[in-house]
Amino acid sequence: MTLFWRKWQLALQHLLYIYVLFLLFYSMYMSTLCQMCEGTVRQDSPVWDFCLTKGHIRGRCCFGNNTSNVDTIIGLDLANCSISHVEHLYNSSTTFIIDLSNNPISNLSDFIFQGFSHLTQLLLPSKLECPGGNASWEKVEVKNNAKICEGQKNICNQTVQMPWDCPENSFCSPYGPGFFECSCLHNFHGYKCMRQVRPPSNHPKQVGHYSFIAHVHCSLCF
Ligand SMILES: *[C@@H]1O[C@H](CO)[C@@H](O)[C@H](O)[C@H]1NC(C)=O
Ligand SMILES: *[C@@H]1O[C@H](CO)[C@@H](O)[C@H](O)[C@H]1NC(C)=O
Ligand SMILES: *[C@@H]1O[C@H](CO)[C@@H](O)[C@H](O)[C@H]1NC(C)=O
Ligand SMILES: *[C@@H]1O[C@H](CO)[C@@H](O)[C@H](O)[C@H]1NC(C)=O
Ligand SMILES: *[C@@H]1O[C@H](CO)[C@@H](O)[C@H](O)[C@H]1NC(C)=O
Ligand SMILES: *[C@@H]1O[C@H](CO)[C@@H](O)[C@H](O)[C@H]1NC(C)=O
Ligand SMILES: *[C@@H]1O[C@H](CO)[C@@H](O)[C@H](O)[C@H]1NC(C)=O
């Protein structure tokens, strides 16, 4: 009998341990962004309006209502949060809209938005520049003391010669404002995609993946 209870006790202990770990990880993940600031997405704010038809709100985040990807963050409202420094927006690279307005942020690195290729609206304190430069956006305006960067341009569609382009045998894809990624075509790999697979095969799986990311602060692009 005592052995039975001892086993139960151990099992319970294990369960408790796992539960605490889960809570810890969950709160760490949530606290990094969605709970970075008190309350939930502010009513009638741009993120609120966006989320109304596309997802549901948890903390300061809007999560997509896609059953396949329940945990995808599609909107982030960190406005009026007394944030003075942004180093990382963790895995919110799936967002379409981010509001950082009304914060005492003095400096924002372009690299925070590397990989944010869906971002179509970004609200910033009015004195900050849009990441990637004005030319990386369709429209830049100042409204209600916020700088609004709207409609991320596809940097791969630029008409003017950029400081440098994707090399031959590679293709360009957007990778956030001011960023693009060059990926080798099938049958090419290695440094600047200069190495060709011989004999040319029809099995792209056999080709080693190689891609690199470039950053351009656009003032003369497009
Ligand atoms: C999204 O899902 C939540 C519950 O999961 C629901 O309350 C909400 O109405 C849904 N929103 C839309 C736009 O379908
Ligand atoms: C839902 O997911 C599908 C496929 O994954 C995608 O095409 C669609 O844009 C998503 N919708 C939203 C509102 O995120
Ligand atoms: C966020 O990052 C964590 C750890 O890096 C990962 O486990 C989780 O799947 C990510 N969530 C999303 C929505 O990408
Ligand atoms: C910012 O938040 C404070 C409370 O934290 C509130 O009193 C104030 O009205 C908010 N300002 C704006 C512009 O929303
Ligand atoms: C902003 O940060 C960059 C790099 O971290 C630094 O070079 C630059 O001087 C900073 N600008 C201001 C105004 O603090
Ligand atoms: C970008 O556009 C905004 C709004 O039109 C303007 O105030 C700002 O000076 C521009 N920045 C640069 C570097 O041209
Ligand atoms: C960029 O080019 C792609 C492919 O040519 C095209 O589908 C897309 O509509 C273009 N985007 C813009 C903003 O011009």
Side-chain angles (χ1 to χ4, degrees):
M1 198 59 183
T2 45
L3 193 68
F4 175 78
W5 281 115
R6 179 96 193 100
K7 272 188 176 165
W8 252 108
Q9 226 177 2
L10 267 173
L12 265 175
Q13 253 172 16
H14 274 114
L15 266 176
L16 200 72
Y17 183 65
I18 288 164
Y19 181 65
V20 166
L21 267 183
F22 170 78
L23 273 186
L24 212 71
F25 272 113
Y26 189 73
S27 62
M28 261 169 65
Y29 169 52
M30 287 291 285
S31 67
T32 48
L33 273 179
C34 309
Q35 245 102 76
M36 199 161 164
C37 176
E38 270 190 11
T40 58
V41 171
R42 297 159 311 140
Q43 199 163 348
D44 299 324
S45 67
V47 176
W48 171 278
D49 289 343
F50 171 81
C51 205
L52 223 50
T53 54
K54 293 184 180 62
H56 57 278
I57 289 167
R58 257 188 279 156
R60 287 287 185 141
C61 294
C62 172
F63 287 86
N65 265 13
N66 253 338
T67 42
S68 54
N69 253 337
V70 277
D71 279 337
T72 303
I73 299 172
I74 60 170
L76 183 60
D77 176 21
L78 294 178
N80 196 18
C81 285
S82 307
I83 297 169
S84 58
H85 196 68
V86 182
E87 244 177 78
H88 212 301
L89 288 171
Y90 300 96
N91 45 12
S92 61
S93 61
T94 45
T95 47
F96 292 84
I97 176 168
I98 298 179
D99 192 343
L100 288 170
S101 63
N102 239 306
N103 284 300
I105 304 169
S106 61
N107 202 353
L108 207 53
S109 161
D110 280 8
F111 285 89
I112 288 165
F113 301 100
Q114 179 175 330
F116 285 57
S117 44
H118 303 293
L119 193 61
T120 50
Q121 195 177 16
L122 176 65
L123 293 96
L124 298 172
S126 56
K127 60 179 185 296
L128 295 186
E129 290 293 332
C130 292
N134 280 356
S136 292
W137 300 85
E138 300 286 350
K139 190 171 144 196
V140 176
E141 60 176 343
V142 179
K143 216 159 75 183
N144 300 332
N145 211 24
K147 178 153 284 169
I148 306 174
C149 322
E150 259 188 300
Q152 196 184 138
K153 280 191 193 165
N154 184 347
I155 200 169
C156 301
N157 289 10
Q158 100 289 357
T159 46
V160 175
Q161 187 80 12
M162 276 196 290
W164 65 274
D165 296 307
C166 281
E168 254 186 286
N169 309 321
S170 75
F171 63 92
C172 176
S173 32
Y175 201 67
F179 291 94
F180 59 95
E181 182 177 23
C182 305
S183 308
C184 298
L185 295 172
H186 293 331
N187 295 330
F188 290 93
H189 68 128
Y191 176 71
K192 290 199 170 180
C193 308
M194 288 192 299
R195 295 176 68 174
Q196 191 165 11
V197 175
R198 280 173 210 283
S201 78
N202 293 320
H203 303 290
K205 269 187 206 141
Q206 293 177 348
V207 182
H209 269 292
Y210 181 80
S211 72
F212 49 93
I213 292 153
H215 173 232
V216 186
H217 196 88
C218 275
S219 49
L220 293 168
C221 324
F222 302 103

